[in-house]
Amino acid sequence: MKKNFLFLFYILAGILVGAVIANLCKNIPLLSWLAYSQSIGFSPLNPAVLDLSIVKITFGFAMSISVAQIITIIGALYFYKNTRVK
């Protein structure tokens, strides 16, 4: 169980650090490629809507991942693999 939480921590840390790096590098010409990202999911502008006359449910999910986040997630997985948990 402790190992699962550690794995989740490393992945979330990789995502957050990658987002910060991408945000910092987007205006630097030599490093702007780290901020290149692609969005996947339902567009927030055009979500899936289920209208049942009484209840209207809107489904929306969007995720954007950048090159910097991919690199930091790979680094986080490397550190997780080399961490010894008792």
Side-chain angles (χ1 to χ4, degrees), residues 32-61:
S32 63
W33 61 273
L34 288 171
Y36 177 76
S37 64
Q38 186 67 36
S39 294
I40 58 173
F42 295 110
S43 170
L45 301 175
N46 190 16
V49 178
L50 177 62
D51 190 357
L52 300 175
S53 184
I54 298 173
V55 178
K56 187 174 187 180
I57 302 173
T58 305
F59 300 98
F61 174 78

Side-chain angles (χ1 to χ4, degrees), residues 11 19 22 26 32-33 37 40 49 54-55 61 63 71 73 78-80 85:
I11 293 297
K26 69 181 174 186
S32 63
W33 61 273
S37 64
I40 58 173
V49 178
I54 298 173
V55 178
F61 174 78
M63 184 175 87
I71 292 170
I73 289 170
Y78 173 78
F79 285 121
Y80 171 75
V85 178

Side-chain angles (χ1 to χ4, degrees), residues 21-22 24-36 67 71:
I21 291 172
L24 291 174
C25 293
K26 69 181 174 186
N27 294 325
I28 301 172
L30 193 62
L31 299 175
S32 63
W33 61 273
L34 288 171
Y36 177 76
V67 174
I71 292 170

